[in-house]
Amino acid sequence: GQQVMQIPQYQHVQEGEDFTTYCNSSTTLSNIQWYKQRPGGHPVFLIQLVKSGEVKKQKRLTFQFGEAKKNSSLHITATQTTDVGTYFCAGPGEYGNKLVFGAGTILRVKS
Amino acid sequence: EPEVTQTPSHQVTQMGQEVILRCVPISNHLYFYWYRQILGQKVEFLVSFYNNEISEKSEIFDDQFSVERPDGSNFTLKIRSTKLEDSAMYFCASSPRGGGNTEAFFGQGTRLTVV
């Protein structure tokens, strides 16, 4: 079945350092979404990418969708303690009725 | 801002008991979902629901699980006879359009503990 892989599983950075998480799908995706889950919280939508090669920015966050629409990345510049949480990528399931989540990358930030 | 609400926030139940988890999706949304997350693991799809019927379900969603939209606002997940491995955080979500092609709005979750 369709799989969405995400690396790294865990990253611990010093405040001010950059952070990147990578997402890879076993199939071509019509879109990819990114969610953030704070510790003890629920997934919250960050962004959706639709076009091949698309790059979107939200303040210190930069999201990319690969040319082949099978991979994506989220880069955070100059991390802050408020960035702490788990970042998930998610793509549509085969029949479009669900989201298939990656395993997530846990980000911890040392101040 | 509209949000998905779930009750209860935490439920402890004995193995073999039935539980009903409740959700109120965002009012103008048409697509509803249940996902679960075992502690520290990824978010797993259980079931999607549209137009008063299941549109897709996962292998996890076996005969012990059922969903219902008993009225115009509530969306429930029933587990008939809970097992220890059903212990997880259960998230309800809704979206204005179908499935994986639009933003999903998640509720705060119900933590189910089966003892």
Side-chain angles (χ1 to χ4, degrees):
Chain A
Q2 180 189 6
Q3 291 185 38
V4 177
M5 283 83 55
Q6 200 174 343
I7 57 167
Q9 184 179 356
Y10 183 83
Q11 188 145 9
H12 201 167
V13 301
Q14 193 72 37
E15 189 173 22
E17 290 181 341
D18 292 356
F19 159 78
T20 305
T21 173
Y22 300 91
C23 184
N24 245 298
S25 169
S26 58
T27 59
T28 302
L29 301 171
S30 60
N31 75 93
I32 194 148
Q33 299 177 30
W34 286 90
Y35 290 79
K36 178 182 178 181
Q37 184 177 30
R38 293 184 188 277
H42 60 284
V44 175
F45 175 81
L46 293 175
I47 208 159
Q48 181 184 38
L49 303 169
V50 178
K51 298 176 187 171
S52 168
E54 189 170 15
V55 177
K56 285 189 175 179
K57 293 193 175 191
Q58 288 180 349
K59 297 183 181 176
R60 294 177 295 104
L61 278 61
T62 302
F63 303 85
Q64 290 190 313
F65 200 11
E67 294 290 341
K69 301 182 77 172
K70 292 181 75 173
N71 61 289
S72 182
S73 64
L74 157 59
H75 179 82
I76 303 178
T77 304
T79 54
Q80 299 174 359
T81 54
T82 52
D83 296 325
V84 160
T86 303
Y87 292 85
F88 292 97
C89 61
E94 184 180 2
Y95 305 110
N97 295 316
K98 65 185 181 188
L99 285 169
V100 178
F101 281 80
T105 297
I106 299 170
L107 172 62
R108 292 288 176 259
V109 180
K110 285 185 293 191
S111 58
Chain B
E1 188 173 321
E3 59 180 19
V4 176
T5 56
Q6 288 186 244
T7 53
S9 56
H10 192 184
Q11 173 123 25
V12 181
T13 189
Q14 294 224 324
M15 194 168 53
Q17 295 296 303
E18 174 182 290
V19 294
I20 297 176
L21 310 183
R22 302 180 193 280
C23 170
V24 179
I26 293 172
S27 62
N28 62 345
H29 286 186
L30 302 177
Y31 297 81
F32 316 117
Y33 317 89
W34 285 99
Y35 290 84
R36 80 172 187 189
Q37 185 178 35
I38 293 170
L39 188 62
Q41 297 187 26
K42 70 176 180 181
V43 179
E44 297 178 291
F45 169 76
L46 292 178
V47 66
S48 57
F49 193 86
Y50 169 70
N51 202 24
N52 283 319
E53 60 182 25
I54 290 173
S55 40
E56 188 171 346
K57 59 185 180 180
S58 72
E59 292 173 355
I60 303 167
F61 195 89
D62 62 21
D63 292 344
Q64 294 300 313
F65 291 83
S66 62
V67 288
E68 200 176 40
R69 187 155 163 82
D71 53 44
S73 59
N74 290 283
F75 180 50
T76 61
L77 174 69
K78 183 193 291 186
I79 310 175
R80 257 179 277 285
S81 177
T82 49
K83 303 188 273 271
L84 294 176
E85 54 265 37
D86 293 328
S87 295
M89 182 72 93
Y90 287 79
F91 291 108
C92 174
S94 68
S95 63
R97 295 182 301 281
N101 296 307
T102 188
E103 171 185 357
F105 293 77
F106 284 79
Q108 305 278 357
T110 293
R111 179 167 298 286
L112 177 65
T113 304
V114 182
V115 297

